[in-house]
Amino acid sequence: MGINRREELCKEALGRHWFHTIDLGDIVTPGVDRSAEKLARLQMPARLDGLTVLDVGAYDGFFSFEAERRGAKRVVATDKFCWSLTGMGDGRGFDIAHELLHSRVEKKVIAVEDISAETVGVFDLVLFLGVLYHAPDPLGYLRRVRSVCKSQLILETHVDALDYPRPAMVFYPGSTLNNDPSNHFGPNLLAVEAMLTEVGFGRVVLLQQYGTRIVVHAFVDAPR
């Protein structure tokens, strides 16, 4: 990449709105998300050498690029909703970061409803971060995720009804959660665990709860 092209991309990056905060070398994108803090909470394996990774709902691609940086041999970033809007959600942020980082991450515009082994492949590690509570069909989304996961899932989501003693979800009609009509359901911890078990994960580990968010690692194989 020539100097002029890099300067042009950096100028474009600083002139737009971002969701993720990504260190691109010369600049750091002015994201509204505390991406580095979230990464620390996820406890993603420090090295992913030789592994394949799918990032579902990649947005600006922070976690896709991080998986690549940690040595993954193949990373596929998927999104549709956040690559089909205007402004921050137009998908251009991913493209700018991809070029400035000289990344080999594969970009695939596809809805969660269309993810399958036939459409995207099967992966060692699947990232499902900040997506579940946007799902109009949470169990269906998790079935899709399980169908392309052959080892580990890292899930991060908003939760609700934490004091209810049975698996349950709160439905958010209209834009009642954070003035965002794309927020549909807030599951409680028991519901997240039950749904992951229902779709075929053999072991579910709650790593962290912080406020109304949780991080869960789910594994295809049950412990021996």
Side-chain angles (χ1 to χ4, degrees):
M1 182 190 304
I3 295 176
N4 290 341
R5 176 60 176 167
R6 187 166 188 87
E7 289 178 348
E8 176 186 319
L9 287 172
C10 287
K11 182 178 180 180
E12 182 182 358
L14 292 175
R16 62 173 282 116
H17 296 293
W18 291 76
F19 180 68
H20 286 147
T21 305
I22 307 174
D23 187 344
L24 299 175
D26 299 334
I27 63 168
V28 176
T29 64
V32 298
D33 181 61
R34 296 179 177 179
S35 306
E37 289 183 20
K38 189 179 293 182
L39 176 64
R41 296 182 189 278
L42 297 180
Q43 297 184 38
M44 186 190 301
R47 296 303 308 170
L48 297 169
D49 302 83
L51 301 182
T52 56
V53 179
L54 175 68
D55 185 5
V56 180
Y59 215 140
D60 292 325
F62 175 88
F63 299 99
S64 305
F65 303 130
E66 181 62 26
E68 179 180 49
R69 192 186 70 80
R70 295 187 182 203
K73 70 176 181 181
R74 182 189 182 210
V75 181
V76 177
T78 69
D79 211 318
K80 187 171 185 180
F81 181 78
C82 291
W83 290 344
S84 61
L85 304 175
T86 57
M88 187 167 64
D90 62 2
R92 178 60 183 156
F94 180 94
D95 296 335
I96 293 171
H98 190 276
E99 188 170 350
L100 285 173
L101 292 170
H102 305 285
S103 175
R104 294 180 295 104
V105 171
E106 301 168 36
K107 178 182 180 181
K108 189 172 183 65
V109 180
I110 185 171
V112 181
E113 291 86 348
D114 297 320
I115 287 176
S116 67
E118 292 71 30
T119 57
V120 299
V122 179
F123 298 82
D124 298 298
L125 174 64
V126 177
L127 306 177
F128 195 58
L129 312 175
V131 178
L132 184 62
Y133 60 99
H134 293 291
D137 176 14
L139 193 59
Y141 271 38
L142 291 176
R143 290 193 194 283
R144 290 290 181 180
V145 167
R146 172 63 185 87
S147 74
V148 296
C149 181
K150 61 182 178 181
S151 183
Q152 182 180 1
L153 168 73
I154 299 179
L155 180 151
E156 190 273 346
T157 188
H158 166 82
V159 288
D160 205 333
L162 298 177
D163 58 346
Y164 193 71
R166 298 178 62 188
M169 289 189 287
V170 175
F171 173 61
Y172 306 115
S175 56
T176 52
L177 178 65
N178 298 331
N179 198 33
D180 184 349
S182 75
N183 293 329
H184 294 298
F185 288 100
N188 64 9
L189 306 181
L190 294 173
V192 172
E193 181 179 12
M195 287 192 293
L196 288 170
T197 302
E198 181 76 14
V199 301
F201 286 98
R203 179 163 55 104
V204 179
V205 180
L206 172 64
L207 282 190
Q208 188 169 154
Q209 178 185 343
Y210 53 108
T212 60
R213 314 282 299 198
I214 61 168
V215 175
V216 169
H217 284 198
F219 302 87
V220 171
D221 294 330
R224 297 176 181 176

